[in-house]
Amino acid sequence: MADRDQLILAIDQGTTNTKAILIDSQGNSLAEASEPVDVTFPRPGWVEQDPLAIWQSVRTAIDGCLEAAGNPRPAAVAISNQRESAVVWERETGQPVGPLVSWQCRRTAPFCDALRAQGLAPTVLERTGLTLDPMFTAPKIRWLLDNTPDGHARAEQGELCAGTVDSWLLWNLTGAKQHRCDVTNASRTQLLNLRTCEWDDDLLGIYGIPEVALPEIRRSSVLFGETVPLGLLEGGVPIGSMIGDSHGAMFGHGRYTPGSVKATYGTGSSLMTPISAIKMSKRGISTTVAWGEKTVVYALEGNIYVTGAAVQWLRDLLGLKSASEVADLAASVESTEGVYVVPAFVGLGAPHWDNAARGLVTGLTRGSSAAHLARAVIESIAYQIRDVFDVIAEEAGEPLRVLLADGGASRNDQLMQFQADIVGCPVLRNNSTYLSALGAAYLAGLTVGVWSSPEEIAALPRSLDRFEPQLSDYERERLYTGWNQAVARTMFAG
């Protein structure tokens, strides 16, 4: 057993579940617990969750993890979290004033359209590195204030707190003592000035959000506060890191220099590569904060709305019990026989950013079966990854010789092989099932001295699988041309 004084309790609060993982000084998991989190869809395009249910899932996961490990006292707590989702709550009572508005939610599209019509999209992009889009946090906070009685006045008077999921969890873990967020989550709000890493007065004015309601911004690897006693978690444990889940995964890979690009395969997907200086994309890729340790590191990122969620959709459509059954069905045929599925269920994200696009299936024949549809859904993940990979490779100005893969869907060998085939470079899969949490744990360990430097972390052992491309260049481009034609029809259909 590792030194029990060196254990990090990492909380990974995701869209569909919350995990708590106890990680030792070698990056190994000693105990884990997971709790599902419900997602509701009250109207077409609306996606929301219950903030109190999310907090309860965190408490349950923590207790389950610590109990499985014999109730140790961790050296620190680390937090990785779903990004861009917005919560507003009362400062005095800690009660949310409305639902958590999910990163997937499109309810603020009309508001974003109005800002675009005012010519504000270039200002938002130049200040934040982000395309004006409903995915990001600021329009969601604005919606919650608009739909709370006296919401704007109460926020201006300091009666309401507004923030991302990391700040909501910190507020509760510290017994309402700390309202803070980390710089990666702040960089996804469209309220952070990338160059100063502070809230931007002009952006606050554009969105109508008072700064007094927002959390204090800190780097990802600092002391955010201390826990109060919560179930099996003792009081006084330092909270040593907070980081958005995609950023946490990048840090967990241990590749801290430009030239590495990772893809996280979750409900949606994120591709991210560190860059040596701020660069603004001209082709729909975000500039964002990668992480903040001793200094702030920047990254290029492409966000895809629907990848793993497309598998869940088909699972439910076909009445199957699990995503693995969809994968088995897909593996039963050699190809899609020309079938493409474009899962633009809530529009298209990077690099297209088309809110009006809607999902479609193309290439069906009388011989098409559920298996062909399943394979097309699996392959749609890889095609969307290539869409972003190609643009990042062009704009990063660095040769991208390997794709680092992580996340639930990366467990699928068929998908990983097709991914290598369609991007035309090796895919290196990290076999950790908790990479976002691991990245957060590394950052917390740096805060409390478990590790002395990122270089020490990079040298830790990692279990990796490598997938080499096998398709000819001709076949790769033939398939990808078919995908691009399907995407064009999707946007036309919208």
Side-chain angles (χ1 to χ4, degrees):
M1 174 72 73
D3 185 344
R4 294 171 76 85
D5 292 333
Q6 298 296 299
L7 303 181
I8 307 294
L9 176 64
I11 300 164
D12 182 12
Q13 202 301 296
T15 306
T16 57
N17 64 72
T18 297
K19 297 177 183 177
I21 303 164
L22 204 60
I23 294 170
D24 70 12
S25 59
Q26 293 298 302
N28 300 312
S29 168
L30 302 184
E32 302 177 20
S34 180
E35 282 294 311
V37 180
D38 288 336
V39 183
T40 56
F41 310 89
R43 299 185 191 177
W46 288 35
V47 187
E48 61 189 42
Q49 296 180 282
D50 179 353
L52 294 176
I54 285 177
W55 170 235
Q56 184 56 54
S57 75
V58 170
R59 293 200 59 175
T60 303
I62 288 173
D63 281 353
C65 180
L66 292 178
E67 183 176 16
N71 298 347
R73 179 184 174 88
V77 171
I79 297 172
S80 71
N81 59 278
Q82 58 167 303
R83 305 177 305 160
E84 292 110 14
S85 302
V87 188
V88 176
W89 65 95
E90 294 179 337
R91 192 178 295 270
E92 183 175 347
T93 68
Q95 291 296 306
V97 301
L100 174 146
V101 182
S102 169
W103 62 272
Q104 297 175 300
C105 188
R106 314 305 291 173
R107 74 184 66 189
T108 60
F111 177 75
C112 291
D113 289 342
L115 296 184
R116 195 174 292 107
Q118 296 172 44
L120 292 170
T123 299
V124 171
L125 177 61
E126 193 277 331
R127 299 285 180 93
T128 71
L130 306 175
T131 301
L132 184 55
D133 187 83
M135 183 177 77
F136 300 109
T137 315
K140 303 177 193 301
I141 292 175
R142 171 63 183 262
W143 186 93
L144 284 163
L145 295 180
D146 285 347
N147 287 273
T148 298
D150 299 320
H152 288 276
R154 295 182 67 193
E156 289 170 0
Q157 292 164 10
E159 295 178 14
L160 300 181
C161 295
T164 42
V165 170
D166 61 327
S167 59
W168 169 241
L169 299 186
L170 181 70
W171 177 268
N172 286 286
L173 284 165
T174 61
K177 291 184 176 67
Q178 304 296 346
H179 186 33
R180 293 167 171 165
C181 70
D182 103 290
V183 68
T184 68
N185 280 287
S187 75
R188 310 302 295 174
T189 61
Q190 294 199 325
L191 297 172
L192 181 87
N193 186 307
L194 269 187
R195 292 165 180 82
T196 65
C197 287
E198 297 176 352
W199 301 125
D200 185 283
D201 289 341
D202 292 338
L203 295 169
L204 294 173
I206 287 171
Y207 286 100
I209 298 171
E211 185 173 352
V212 68
L214 295 174
E216 173 195 349
I217 302 167
R218 292 197 162 194
R219 296 191 311 276
S220 312
S221 179
V222 296
L223 179 63
F224 283 89
E226 294 183 342
T227 62
V228 294
L230 292 163
L232 296 181
L233 179 61
E234 298 178 22
V237 177
I239 299 167
S241 73
M242 301 201 299
I243 191 168
D245 51 9
S246 183
H247 313 257
M250 185 78 218
F251 202 84
H253 276 288
R255 304 287 187 99
Y256 304 135
T257 56
S260 301
V261 60
K262 70 89 194 175
T264 297
Y265 296 77
T267 303
S269 287
S270 156
L271 277 76
M272 185 180 292
T273 186
I275 52 177
S276 55
I278 294 176
K279 300 178 182 178
M280 293 300 173
S281 169
K282 298 179 181 178
R283 294 189 55 196
I285 300 299
S286 300
T287 306
T288 192
V289 174
W291 55 76
E293 197 239 329
K294 288 185 173 63
T295 60
V296 171
V297 175
Y298 294 93
L300 293 177
E301 181 180 12
N303 301 102
I304 303 167
Y305 296 147
V306 175
T307 51
V311 178
Q312 297 167 349
W313 164 78
L314 189 64
R315 175 201 65 193
D316 297 340
L317 182 70
L318 298 179
L320 303 177
K321 295 181 180 179
S322 67
S324 63
E325 290 187 48
V326 176
D328 291 343
L329 192 61
S332 70
V333 291
E334 293 296 320
S335 75
T336 68
E337 295 188 358
V339 176
Y340 290 89
V341 175
V342 184
F345 302 144
V346 290
L348 288 171
H352 310 287
W353 296 110
D354 188 332
N355 289 325
R358 289 295 176 265
L360 61 75
V361 182
T362 185
L364 292 173
T365 68
R366 183 63 182 84
S368 299
S369 67
H372 295 110
L373 192 62
R375 189 174 182 105
V377 165
I378 297 292
E379 291 186 358
S380 75
I381 299 173
Y383 285 125
Q384 291 182 95
I385 295 293
R386 174 168 170 181
D387 286 347
V388 176
F389 182 91
D390 285 357
V391 178
I392 284 182
E394 177 183 326
E395 298 204 333
E398 301 278 351
L400 304 179
R401 299 185 178 90
V402 66
L403 176 64
L404 308 172
D406 64 84
S410 71
R411 301 301 98 200
N412 184 330
D413 286 356
Q414 178 191 355
L415 171 58
M416 291 296 95
Q417 182 57 57
F418 188 72
Q419 187 69 82
D421 289 339
I422 210 65
V423 297
C425 79
V427 171
L428 202 60
R429 177 177 66 192
N430 191 301
N431 286 319
S432 170
T433 58
Y434 49 90
L435 204 60
S436 296
L438 187 59
Y442 287 155
L443 289 161
L446 289 170
T447 300
V448 299
V450 175
W451 299 284
S452 61
S453 68
E455 291 74 22
E456 182 183 354
I457 293 168
L460 293 174
R462 288 171 173 81
S463 174
L464 304 170
D465 291 323
R466 188 180 182 95
F467 297 83
E468 296 284 350
Q470 298 175 356
L471 282 183
S472 67
D473 291 345
Y474 171 80
E475 184 65 8
R476 177 181 305 115
E477 296 313 310
R478 184 187 71 81
L479 291 172
Y480 191 55
T481 296
W483 165 257
N484 285 326
Q485 291 171 344
V487 170
R489 292 176 181 176
T490 300
M491 292 189 283
F492 178 77

